[in-house]
Amino acid sequence: LSSSRIFLRTATGIGGKTALKAFIARSSGGSTSYYNSLAGSSSSSSLPAVVGKKSTKKYQAFYPTNHHVQHHDQQATATQRRYKSALPITEDPIRGGYDSSDIYSGPTACETAGISKLGITGPTTIYKNQTFEELFQHEVKNDEGKVASAEYGVTFTVDTGKFTGRSPGDKWLVKNIGSESDANIDWGKVNQPTTPEVFDELYEKAVNYFNTKEKCYVFDGFCGANPKSQRKIRFVHEMAWQQHFVTNMFIRANSSSELEGFEPDFTVINACSQVDEDWEKHGLNSEVAVVFNVEKKCAVIFGTWYGGENKKGIFSLMNYWLPMEDPPQLPMHCSANVGKDGDSALFFGLSGTGKTTLSADPHRALIGDDEHGWDEDGVFNFEGGCYAKTINLSEKTEPDIYRAIHKDAMLENVALKDEGDKFVPDYFDTSKTENGRVSYPIFHIDNYHEPQMAGHPNNIIFLSCDAFGVLPPIAKLTPEQAMYHFISGYTAKVAGTERGITEPSATFSACFGAAFLTHHPTRYAELLKEKLEKHNAKAWIVNSGWSGGPYGVGERMSISTTRNCVNAILDGTIGDTTWEKDRVFGWEIPASIPDVDPDVLHPRNTWPDPKEYGEAEKKLAEMYVANFEKYAGKGDTDYTQYGPKV
């Protein structure tokens, strides 16, 4: 063990402020001025005052044996407890329970941290799996962003520069000729091939860069709540906020003992501050490069600071690995929750369609908000946190997400208002981007399902954000129609979720996540078909897009309208209505939904000119048909006949 690591363990028994002051003084060559400004001396603090309202609401779990409901009081005085870290831990049994933190220093730091195997041997200080409190201190000390006073507590904020969304045109997979991945990956526009030689050059560049650094951050964690298919993931980052992001988003170890003998199934080296100057020679599309080598179990990231590249890269790999399990498992771009009676539901959809918002339901327990698997046991979360959009966020419309923004959450590309002695998030200011985000550990949601696993779902909901104003807010699908619409994956790309998207544009994204599919879409469709048939799940279309006209003319469906449609599905009241079959799309539309305007249920009734609606409906139907032509005759069943009639 390094002397610094021994010091931290010993300091645990000293008491928080004294130990922290001693450690920072030691690290800074004897100076305690930084501690005095950061850790709470009698002099003025450099941190903004915590101004806001304390959370006093009490919550009860639906079934305590299955999940916790945690109350957070972010203005409670931090108390000292016996942890490996010398930093004070806020009195919160869940938050404090994630302590696998280590600091390695000296010439063998990289070897001890496990990254010398990568060729990274230069850094002499490695911060590994820092606690939430430690990460906050590092972020402030490194001046990596700003501390904002959200209503429920202080929250760290970062600005990722010009990249406020993923850069899908810059994601590449290495085509190792004759390998397993070569035979199984669906090569093309989504899974762009590059050569082993290009990867090796970029890998060497990333390693050489980290070997110039005195310190770096390493996170060892897990992807997948089901131990049967769980993957061990390692991230190497140059900034504390990046470790904060993956600590929020992936499954955290509770203690260092869980990481003993940790050998990663995959490693990501994130050199985001560097670019590939030789991108033209390498045959890439820009100086940004996000490159995965399945056989070498490693990826490198250059040129983009966007946090989502970390999580979506691993999601793409889970989409590769799980269908190849025995028996095959279905990876899904969806959110999931579960009711009091164990009835789980899935919400498929692209970013901005409502997955996070609709699955965060005060009457149901959240399993996860974005990435899941479905195996022989049921559904399970891939992640340990949530990544929610903050555009127009308010406590009235999205209370669970709003209240989740406090200490340990992290805001990304969210505008701040300078209010004298503090910065306050402004979720209505989208001058930076409409893709402002917040990441937070899942236990920030009051009704979260602690096992992160549940039984087979009763309802499958396909969320679309229809920019044409044609789709109804809700429609019932036959099993065959469900397959057609799963493969089609119609929605709109919402402004800011990807580079170059400035307003919603209609798109078809297979399986509601084409950007992350490594196999051919029909492979996932056949797996879903098997699950639906075996477990008798019902399928629905829910449109969270426009009504009364297309984008620019009509209005976006209100969150309350969409929520009421979903509630009717989940509580069963939708079974009390009558149905009308749509003459073009063939699905069935309900005559009534509690607390929803009946005219809104039939989009034709919301348009000023029914003739214009008919033209828009025909146009969209033709787009469906044209898109599906590439799937005709593929897979075990041709679902073309279950699409719209034109």
Side-chain angles (χ1 to χ4, degrees):
L1 294 174
S2 70
S3 58
S4 289
R5 186 178 178 189
I6 294 172
F7 171 79
L8 277 178
R9 292 185 183 276
T10 305
T12 304
I14 298 176
K17 286 189 177 181
T18 302
L20 173 60
K21 187 172 182 177
F23 175 70
I24 293 177
R26 174 176 177 160
S27 301
S28 59
S31 171
T32 61
S33 60
Y34 174 70
Y35 167 81
N36 289 332
S37 66
L38 180 66
S41 68
S42 57
S43 60
S44 62
S45 173
S46 64
L47 295 181
V50 183
V51 178
K53 117 178 114 175
K54 295 173 70 175
S55 176
T56 57
K57 181 179 178 181
K58 302 298 182 182
Y59 302 93
Q60 292 182 345
F62 292 133
Y63 30 99
T65 57
N66 286 343
H67 72 283
H68 285 331
V69 174
Q70 184 63 40
H71 164 61
H72 299 278
D73 185 346
Q74 292 303 310
Q75 296 183 352
T77 302
T79 58
Q80 313 307 322
R81 298 176 64 184
R82 295 183 62 86
Y83 288 91
K84 290 191 301 177
S85 166
L87 294 178
I89 301 292
T90 299
E91 188 67 46
D92 183 330
I94 300 179
R95 177 183 190 249
Y98 296 116
D99 186 11
S100 56
S101 170
D102 281 304
I103 301 175
Y104 305 108
S105 63
T108 62
C110 291
E111 181 179 358
T112 308
I115 61 174
S116 61
K117 299 175 183 178
L118 302 171
I120 299 176
T121 57
T124 54
T125 302
I126 309 295
Y127 298 103
K128 188 173 183 180
N129 284 52
Q130 299 295 278
T131 65
F132 288 113
E133 190 70 27
E134 289 170 325
L135 288 168
F136 180 77
Q137 305 287 5
H138 279 265
E139 290 163 338
V140 174
K141 180 180 179 181
N142 298 343
D143 195 25
E144 295 179 2
K146 296 179 179 178
V147 179
S149 294
E151 190 165 4
Y152 285 88
V154 294
T155 308
F156 200 74
T157 71
V158 296
D159 186 316
T160 63
K162 66 179 180 180
F163 292 96
T164 59
R166 292 179 299 103
S167 188
D170 295 308
K171 188 187 81 171
W172 303 84
L173 284 84
V174 176
K175 189 175 179 65
N176 293 305
I177 303 299
S179 67
E180 183 181 68
S181 66
D182 181 27
N184 285 279
I185 289 175
D186 181 32
W187 300 103
K189 185 177 180 180
V190 171
N191 300 302
Q192 302 177 109
T194 189
T195 67
E197 291 75 20
V198 168
F199 177 82
D200 290 344
E201 285 189 34
L202 292 174
Y203 180 90
E204 182 179 7
K205 179 181 176 68
V207 168
N208 289 342
Y209 171 68
F210 273 96
N211 282 336
T212 68
K213 309 293 289 183
E214 294 181 359
K215 67 179 183 180
C216 69
Y217 295 85
V218 175
F219 173 81
D220 286 348
F222 307 92
C223 185
N226 191 332
K228 295 179 181 179
S229 57
Q230 188 177 77
R231 295 303 196 272
K232 299 175 182 177
I233 308 297
R234 172 170 289 163
F235 286 93
V236 182
H237 288 124
E238 53 183 306
M239 287 173 286
W241 79 257
Q242 295 171 323
Q243 185 175 115
H244 185 172
F245 179 84
V246 295
T247 299
N248 279 349
M249 296 312 305
F250 288 87
I251 297 174
R252 301 159 289 275
N254 290 312
S255 66
S256 292
S257 63
E258 292 185 27
L259 299 175
E260 290 181 5
F262 187 93
E263 289 293 335
D265 296 304
F266 205 86
T267 299
V268 177
I269 303 175
N270 191 326
C272 65
S273 67
Q274 305 301 294
V275 298
D276 179 18
E277 301 94 341
D278 299 321
W279 63 273
E280 290 178 297
K281 182 188 80 172
H282 290 153
L284 307 184
N285 293 330
S286 77
E287 62 185 10
V288 175
V290 183
V291 188
F292 294 82
N293 192 322
V294 174
E295 272 67 40
K296 288 195 173 182
K297 302 180 179 180
C298 189
V300 292
I301 297 177
F302 287 91
T304 173
W305 298 58
Y306 182 60
E309 295 287 7
N310 295 276
K311 93 183 208 82
K312 287 304 186 185
I314 299 301
F315 181 49
S316 294
L317 290 169
M318 293 296 278
N319 274 284
Y320 174 76
W321 289 323
L322 264 59
M324 299 178 68
E325 294 279 322
D326 185 17
Q329 301 177 20
L330 175 62
M332 303 174 292
H333 189 215
C334 69
S335 59
N337 62 24
V338 61
K340 299 177 182 179
D341 300 323
D343 53 307
S344 63
L346 303 179
F347 302 80
F348 285 87
L350 289 179
S351 298
T353 56
K355 292 192 313 299
T356 299
T357 299
L358 296 171
S359 56
D361 186 329
H363 305 294
R364 297 172 64 84
L366 178 69
I367 301 171
D369 82 322
D370 193 43
E371 304 170 4
H372 291 80
W374 189 353
D375 63 10
E376 300 305 301
D377 300 323
V379 297
F380 58 95
N381 195 359
F382 285 171
E383 303 180 293
C386 302
Y387 195 38
K389 288 174 68 69
T390 58
I391 182 172
N392 299 332
L393 179 65
S394 71
E395 188 168 18
K396 179 180 179 180
T397 57
E398 300 178 80
D400 295 283
I401 297 171
Y402 188 87
R403 294 167 188 159
I405 302 176
H406 52 71
K407 191 71 170 288
D408 303 338
M410 186 172 66
L411 292 168
E412 192 173 336
N413 300 315
V414 172
L416 300 176
K417 294 185 293 186
D418 189 346
E419 295 188 357
D421 62 341
K422 64 182 184 293
F423 294 106
V424 176
D426 184 352
Y427 306 120
F428 293 86
D429 180 351
T430 59
S431 55
K432 168 71 177 180
T433 178
E434 293 191 12
N435 195 38
R437 295 272 180 166
V438 60
S439 66
Y440 49 85
I442 197 166
F443 60 78
H444 279 204
I445 295 295
D446 300 314
N447 297 333
Y448 88 100
H449 189 59
E450 186 181 13
Q452 300 292 272
M453 300 170 62
H456 301 286
N458 297 31
N459 291 286
I460 313 295
I461 298 172
F462 298 145
L463 297 170
S464 288
C465 175
D466 175 28
F468 290 98
V470 169
L471 299 192
I474 183 171
K476 182 169 64 173
L477 304 174
T478 66
E480 294 78 14
Q481 288 172 337
M483 296 308 304
Y484 181 92
H485 288 282
F486 179 64
I487 295 173
S488 296
Y490 168 70
T491 187
K493 288 183 179 178
V494 180
T497 57
E498 291 185 7
R499 185 183 180 188
I501 302 297
T502 58
E503 64 179 34
S505 59
T507 187
F508 291 88
S509 182
C511 310
F512 294 92
F516 318 117
L517 304 183
T518 41
H519 298 282
H520 193 274
T522 56
R523 189 163 187 176
Y524 306 98
E526 293 299 332
L527 286 173
L528 179 61
K529 176 186 175 184
E530 293 173 9
K531 299 293 186 184
L532 290 176
E533 291 177 347
K534 185 174 181 179
H535 303 290
N536 197 30
K538 297 178 181 178
W540 312 82
I541 283 276
V542 170
N543 172 29
S544 62
W546 276 258
S547 176
Y551 172 79
V553 177
E555 294 183 353
R556 186 86 186 259
M557 297 276 185
S558 70
I559 292 175
S560 62
T561 292
T562 306
R563 174 85 61 190
N564 288 334
C565 290
V566 170
N567 288 344
I569 293 171
L570 300 181
D571 65 21
T573 56
I574 198 168
D576 300 331
T577 189
T578 57
W579 301 87
E580 178 182 331
K581 186 174 182 178
D582 186 271
R583 62 180 180 81
V584 174
F585 285 89
W587 49 43
E588 292 187 309
I589 299 174
S592 63
I593 294 286
D595 300 318
V596 175
D597 183 349
D599 283 338
V600 173
L601 295 173
H602 296 267
R604 183 183 299 272
N605 297 340
T606 67
W607 281 55
D609 186 343
K611 181 180 178 181
E612 289 185 0
Y613 172 80
E615 293 172 352
E617 182 183 41
K618 183 175 183 293
K619 179 181 178 181
L620 181 57
E622 290 172 345
M623 292 176 64
Y624 266 95
V625 171
N627 170 74
F628 209 83
E629 287 176 356
K630 58 180 171 285
Y631 303 115
K634 301 290 181 66
D636 294 339
T637 304
D638 187 347
Y639 292 97
T640 304
Q641 61 185 307
Y642 301 107
K645 309 302 180 186
V646 294

